[in-house]
């Protein structure tokens, strides 16, 4: 049986060389893409860490898991709500694989202290080899003055959103994790059973911290800024609806209100790019360990983000929107015996990863899975598996709340916002449509204008709503 190396990279949007961002330095992931298949129209189920990972690793849609926001504190929601469910790594464990995880695979707020103990045959790896001077805790600042200031500050005080220190790669959490992951690969390659190793890198999640050499790859003055930094014309919301970039504004040295100044925008984009290159180098370490151990040719490698991230698009900095920059995320799979360097343009979802890895490893698929195996797309192009990718999000899980579902077809995005009571474990969705949005990516790739209210687009709006009702039959059907 083939091994599986499952790499999750936090908050990674498709800002990679192999996805057309030629200015990004990502040689290791690009090399991996040349060995496998990259899915360029891949979408998450929720543009938020916990629900996206929960969905991918259980194979269930958020409307089934009812995990649509990040929990406020650690709670073993997985086993409380789905005591007997078989997760992706657990299925491999049950089929004779040695399973092991480190870093952010599940979101730790939704599982037990063992990162869902039932999923792993080797206990969750918490400690990594430390660099001289110590590793510290995530986010792991290495700047001495920042460390001193935060040590003296009140609990919960945030540090700066970026850090550029001239330190070795393993001075930071991810670099140390990569070296531990590489050691595990070398160890597991000698075992008599196949392995499923999951490694969850934190960067480019905020804060954007990476060794100086990765910052030095970029000229800040030449970095591209988001070309459209306002909400779409006729948008039903303002930026406050999307937290007004609250994820970013929580960090020190960031204005709490108003536009992000251009100099800070460039610094943040610089930090994000450096963090991507840092994660790319860490992926390279794992791939080198596979090759050196002789396991490369018999290992399925899956690299993904968990959702996208706005870098100023629509004036937003962060995730948790139903727009393209938050819902689209990279997915690359390299599998023995399959076409190399392939690009799949068909619509795909993270929900499809679980059944795909089962097929590639010749394992049966659990009956509960709600995704579709992507293996037909590894062959000839032109195959369509999904009429649309389905994503959803809510700005807050309140009693008088609102939930938005979005359909992404090859050309259009339709978003429908419904009134909902999201305050309990089982949300109550109403048939009350709060607002709708429609975008045409052929004529408006930057989502400059919501077309839903325009007479000339009424027929397309109706078509998208019919598709919505077809793909989401569990929702109460409204009067349209």
């Amino acid at each position: 049986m083939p091994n599986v190396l499952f790499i999750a990279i936090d908050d990674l949007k498709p800002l990679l060389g192999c996805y057309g961002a030629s200015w990004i330095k990502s040689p290791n992931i690009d090399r991996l893409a040349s060995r496998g298949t990259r899915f360029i129209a891949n979408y998450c189920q929720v543009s938020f860490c916990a629900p996206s990972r929960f969905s991918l690793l259980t194979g269930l849609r958020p409307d089934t898991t009812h995990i649509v926001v990040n929990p406020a504190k650690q709670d073993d929601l997985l086993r409380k709500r789905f005591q007997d469910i078989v997760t992706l790594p657990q299925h491999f464990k049950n089929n004779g694989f040695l399973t092991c995880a480190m870093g952010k695979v599940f979101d730790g707020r939704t599982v037990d202290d063992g990162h869902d103990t039932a999923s792993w045959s080797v206990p969750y790896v918490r400690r990594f080899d430390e660099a001289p001077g110590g590793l510290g805790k995530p986010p792991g600042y290495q700047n001495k003055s920042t460390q001193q200031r935060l040590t003296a500050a009140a609990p919960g005080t945030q540090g700066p959103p970026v850090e550029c220190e001239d330190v070795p790669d393993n001075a930071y959490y991810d670099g140390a994790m990569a070296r531990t992951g590489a050691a595990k690969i070398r160890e597991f390659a000698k075992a008599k059973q196949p392995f499923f190793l999951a490694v969850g890198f934190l960067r480019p999640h905020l804060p954007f911290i990476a060794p100086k050499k990765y910052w030095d790859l970029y000229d800040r003055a030449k970095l591209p800024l988001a070309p459209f930094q306002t909400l779409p014309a006729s948008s039903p919301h303002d930026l406050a609806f999307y937290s007004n970039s609250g994820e970013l504004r929580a960090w020190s040295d960031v204005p709490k209100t108003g536009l992000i100044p251009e100099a800070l925008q460039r610094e943040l984009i610089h930090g994000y790019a450096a963090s991507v290159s840092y994660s790319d180098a860490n992926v390279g370490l794992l791939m080198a360990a596979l090759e050196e151990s002789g396991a490369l040719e018999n290992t399925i490698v899956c690299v993904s983000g968990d959702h996208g991230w706005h870098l100023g698009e629509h004036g937003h900095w962060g995730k948790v929107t139903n727009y393209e920059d938050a819902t689209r995320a990279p997915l690359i799979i390299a599998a023995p015996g399959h076409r190399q360097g392939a690009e799949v343009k068909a619509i795909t979802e993270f929900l499809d990863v679980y059944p795909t890895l089962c097929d590639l490893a010749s394992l049966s698929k659990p009956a509960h899975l709600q995704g579709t195996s992507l293996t037909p797309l590894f062959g000839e192009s032109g195959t369509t598996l999904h009429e649309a990718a389905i994503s959803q999000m809510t700005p807050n899980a309140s009693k008088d709340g609102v939930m938005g579902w979005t359909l992404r077809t090859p050309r259009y995005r339709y978003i429908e916002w419904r009134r909902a009571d999201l305050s309990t474990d089982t949300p109550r969705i109403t048939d009350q449509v709060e607002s709708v949005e429609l975008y045409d990516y052929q004529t408006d790739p930057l989502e400059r204008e919501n077309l839903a209210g325009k007479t000339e687009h009424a027929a397309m709006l109706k078509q998208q709503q019919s598709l919505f009702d077809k793909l989401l039959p569990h929702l109460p059907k409204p009067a349209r």
Side-chain angles (χ1 to χ4, degrees):
M1 284 187 176
N3 308 302
V4 178
L5 175 59
F6 180 87
I7 303 173
I9 304 178
D10 211 355
D11 285 11
L12 178 65
K13 65 191 301 178
L15 204 61
L16 298 163
C18 56
Y19 276 79
S22 58
W23 59 277
I24 284 283
K25 311 300 182 184
S26 53
N28 295 290
I29 296 177
D30 296 348
R31 191 175 305 117
L32 173 63
S34 71
R35 295 186 65 254
T37 299
R38 66 190 186 281
F39 299 88
I40 66 169
N42 182 70
Y43 294 87
C44 67
Q45 271 44 74
V46 182
S47 57
F48 219 173
C49 299
S52 176
R53 294 164 185 269
F54 202 102
S55 177
L56 188 157
L57 291 164
T58 62
L60 298 174
R61 290 197 179 277
D63 279 342
T64 301
T65 68
H66 304 313
I67 306 292
V68 293
V69 297
N70 286 346
K73 60 182 180 180
Q74 184 174 4
D75 188 1
D76 188 9
L77 297 173
L78 176 58
R79 297 302 166 181
K80 283 183 178 179
R81 297 189 181 185
F82 304 98
Q83 183 177 357
D84 298 322
I85 197 165
V86 176
T87 69
L88 169 61
Q90 186 181 7
H91 186 55
F92 277 76
K93 173 187 170 184
N94 292 348
N95 280 275
F97 282 69
L98 190 159
T99 60
C100 177
M102 60 188 70
K104 190 174 178 181
V105 182
F106 286 99
D107 187 292
R109 289 164 288 193
T110 63
V111 288
D112 61 30
D113 286 339
H115 214 64
D116 188 44
T117 304
S119 289
W120 314 108
S121 56
V122 174
Y124 178 64
V125 181
R126 298 183 179 280
R127 297 182 62 85
F128 309 126
D129 298 332
E130 294 187 356
L135 173 63
K137 296 180 180 180
Y141 295 106
Q142 294 298 307
N143 180 275
K144 299 303 181 185
S145 63
T146 299
Q147 291 176 342
Q148 292 168 1
R149 177 166 63 86
L150 293 179
T151 299
T157 301
Q158 297 279 46
V162 299
E163 179 176 277
C164 171
E165 288 293 300
D166 194 2
V167 294
D169 283 18
N170 61 338
Y172 290 122
Y173 187 83
D174 279 0
M177 189 197 316
R179 283 151 181 78
T180 303
K184 287 293 184 185
I185 288 172
R186 289 189 287 269
E187 174 190 341
F188 295 160
K190 298 175 184 177
K192 295 181 179 179
Q193 62 188 122
F195 64 81
F196 182 110
L197 176 63
V199 181
F201 293 121
L202 296 183
R203 304 282 83 84
H205 193 289
L206 279 167
F208 304 145
I209 57 179
K212 180 178 179 295
K213 66 181 181 181
Y214 299 106
W215 290 76
D216 290 346
L217 295 174
Y218 301 95
D219 181 347
R220 185 177 300 181
K222 295 181 179 179
L223 295 178
L225 302 181
F228 185 68
Q229 297 197 21
T230 60
L231 286 176
S234 302
S235 168
H237 306 296
D238 59 22
L239 278 176
F241 180 84
Y242 297 111
S243 84
N244 197 23
S245 304
E247 181 179 6
L248 172 64
R249 296 184 192 277
W251 300 89
S252 66
D253 308 321
V254 179
K256 303 307 176 188
T257 59
L259 296 175
I260 303 299
E262 181 177 327
L264 181 54
Q265 288 193 35
R266 290 192 178 278
E267 183 179 33
L268 292 167
I269 293 171
H270 193 174
Y272 189 94
S275 297
V276 171
S277 293
Y278 178 42
S279 281
D280 176 79
N282 289 324
V283 170
L285 274 178
L286 299 180
M287 295 302 295
L290 280 177
E291 187 167 13
E292 293 162 5
S293 68
L296 179 61
E297 297 304 321
N298 191 41
T299 300
I300 301 162
V301 182
C302 176
V303 174
S304 66
D306 51 357
H307 43 67
W309 216 84
H310 287 254
L311 286 169
E313 297 89 358
H314 293 315
H316 185 62
W317 296 80
K319 41 198 177 262
V320 198
T321 79
N322 268 334
Y323 294 126
E324 186 82 355
D325 284 282
T327 58
R328 182 172 171 245
L331 174 63
I332 300 168
I333 301 176
H338 287 274
R339 194 159 54 110
Q340 297 187 350
E343 177 185 89
V344 171
K345 297 180 180 179
I347 296 286
T348 62
E349 302 179 293
F350 276 141
L351 202 65
D352 303 329
V353 170
Y354 192 154
T356 302
L357 294 182
C358 288
D359 276 353
L360 292 175
S362 299
L363 302 184
S364 63
K365 293 188 285 290
H368 75 269
L369 299 186
Q370 295 176 332
T372 303
S373 175
L374 302 176
T375 51
L377 300 177
F378 284 79
E380 295 299 320
S381 60
T383 302
T384 298
L385 295 181
H386 299 292
E387 291 182 86
I390 305 171
S391 305
Q392 63 189 93
M393 61 80 58
T394 177
N396 56 73
S398 63
K399 183 175 180 63
D400 184 23
V402 63
M403 176 72 78
W405 290 263
T406 177
L407 303 185
R408 178 59 157 99
T409 64
R411 178 169 175 176
Y412 293 96
R413 178 179 298 281
Y414 172 71
I415 307 175
E416 182 167 305
W417 298 95
R418 298 275 192 97
R419 278 287 152 199
D421 178 357
L422 305 171
S423 62
T424 65
D425 287 349
T426 305
R428 187 180 70 84
I429 309 301
T430 74
D431 62 358
Q432 181 182 346
V433 177
E434 185 74 9
S435 57
V436 297
E437 300 175 63
L438 178 67
Y439 300 96
D440 182 347
Y441 290 97
Q442 182 171 302
T443 61
D444 182 21
L446 299 180
E447 302 162 327
R448 294 175 182 267
E449 184 176 17
N450 174 18
L451 304 175
K454 292 189 170 294
T455 303
E456 59 269 34
H457 295 282
M460 179 51 62
L461 179 66
K462 186 174 181 179
Q463 179 180 322
Q464 292 292 311
Q465 290 174 332
S466 295
L467 181 60
F468 183 94
D469 293 339
K470 173 185 174 182
L471 297 181
L472 297 163
H474 59 283
L475 297 182
K477 189 172 180 179
R480 300 192 189 279

